[in-house]
Amino acid sequence: MTAPLTDSVRRRLADAGCVAAPCDVYAGDGARFYDDLVGPDRSEIREVLEVARRRGPAVLDLAAGSGRLTLPLLRAGKEVTALDLSPDMLARLRAALPAAASCELVVGDMCDLDLGRSFDLIVLGATSITLLERPDRRRLLTAVRRHLGAGGSFLLSIAGTAASASLRASTDREITVGPTAYLQSQQVEAAHRIVNWMPLPLPPAPGPARVLTTRLQLVDEATVADELRDAGFLPPDVLPVRSNGVAPGEGMVLLHARPDTEVRDDA
């Protein structure tokens, strides 16, 4: 479902006499934009690989997108199953796979996993847990636990202290992605935030203006840790992510959780 527009974007369009042409940032042309936006970001890759090297070969990369984590995991010798809801994102990953890569691509909903096998490590990167509302997060964690093999673990990223605070403020700023300038507009509403990216300058009125959209939940580290425990995981280890210009753990952290073997799956 395409997320709504922010009030700021609506005002800009109205002032320019333009009509919005919204599209999902993870589909169609949005997939290319998203790949250009986040693809160069190396955050969390080093830390994910450090954990992966201590686990077995079978890795499930959830919300894999175009392979920001999948490709480094493959280069590290892992056998990766990459799952994403967007066929367009996985098409970009398929085009980037090296020859003879040990990688299975699956179009599917990470909240409704039924892959018929278990994994040594399941990864959910890029703070993608924030795509899900609480009932869907509960379904996800139940499915993840069911797909972990003996000794397996779950690794997911979430915003750290400073990043969490910045995500709770409505902001507008201009950014450059590739050769194009965009207005990046974030609007916070209760427990979620709407994010839009609109190319600048706007087209001549009354032309359509493309607006890429997403809706993300405001979820903090403590909430996810509590939900992991409720889903039958042991209290997670908190691993700070090193990012340029940000103190470790403030921009992003990884939560590394293992199933509590004393909790029955039917409990």
Side-chain angles (χ1 to χ4, degrees):
M1 180 178 66
T2 300
L5 304 178
T6 68
D7 293 341
S8 179
V9 164
R10 291 181 189 278
R11 284 194 299 269
R12 289 234 191 171
L13 290 170
D15 290 346
C18 294
V19 177
C23 61
D24 193 320
V25 74
Y26 309 112
D29 289 341
R32 182 181 301 108
F33 166 81
Y34 185 76
D35 198 9
D36 291 342
L37 176 69
V38 306
D41 182 7
R42 310 306 292 171
S43 299
E44 77 183 319
I45 293 176
R46 175 170 48 186
E47 290 81 5
V48 167
L49 291 178
E50 286 176 359
V51 173
R53 291 188 183 103
R54 300 193 298 270
R55 319 309 293 178
V59 178
L60 173 59
D61 184 10
L62 297 175
S66 58
R68 183 173 157 273
L69 292 177
T70 301
L71 295 171
L73 286 164
L74 288 169
R75 288 193 289 268
K78 300 299 178 180
E79 300 167 3
V80 184
T81 298
L83 182 141
D84 200 281
L85 192 59
S86 168
D88 296 315
M89 295 300 295
L90 287 182
R92 299 185 68 81
L93 170 53
R94 183 177 292 107
L97 285 175
S102 182
C103 185
E104 179 184 5
L105 305 185
V106 179
V107 177
D109 184 346
M110 62 182 170
C111 300
D112 193 26
L113 291 177
D114 188 12
L115 300 179
R117 57 170 300 193
S118 60
F119 297 88
D120 302 304
L121 178 66
I122 299 179
V123 179
L124 178 60
T127 67
S128 296
I129 191 78
T130 61
L131 290 166
L132 306 176
E133 296 183 8
R134 185 166 187 171
D136 288 332
R137 294 197 302 271
R138 188 179 301 114
R139 291 171 53 222
L140 166 72
L141 297 179
T142 299
V144 164
R145 190 170 182 273
R146 193 172 62 245
H147 282 76
L148 285 174
S153 61
F154 181 39
L155 187 64
L156 73 152
S157 57
I158 191 71
T161 307
S164 252
S166 69
L167 295 177
R168 295 178 181 274
S170 296
T171 58
D172 286 352
R173 65 188 182 101
E174 290 190 16
I175 64 172
T176 300
V177 180
T180 306
Y182 289 83
L183 170 67
Q184 178 177 287
S185 179
Q186 173 176 290
Q187 181 172 314
V188 175
E189 297 182 350
H192 68 267
R193 59 192 180 100
I194 299 165
V195 187
N196 294 169
W197 295 268
M198 182 169 66
L200 299 174
L202 290 173
R210 185 170 64 113
V211 184
L212 300 154
T213 69
T214 190
R215 184 198 300 268
L216 301 166
Q217 303 302 305
L218 290 168
V219 188
D220 59 24
E221 173 191 331
T223 297
V224 176
D226 287 343
E227 291 176 354
L228 282 163
R229 289 191 289 268
D230 290 343
F233 288 85
L234 295 169
D237 297 327
V238 180
L239 311 177
V241 171
R242 291 155 285 185
S243 302
N244 291 335
V246 181
E250 291 194 352
M252 183 187 293
V253 297
L254 291 173
L255 301 183
H256 187 205
R258 298 165 181 82
D260 186 343
T261 57
E262 295 185 2
V263 176
R264 291 168 45 192
D265 290 336
D266 59 352

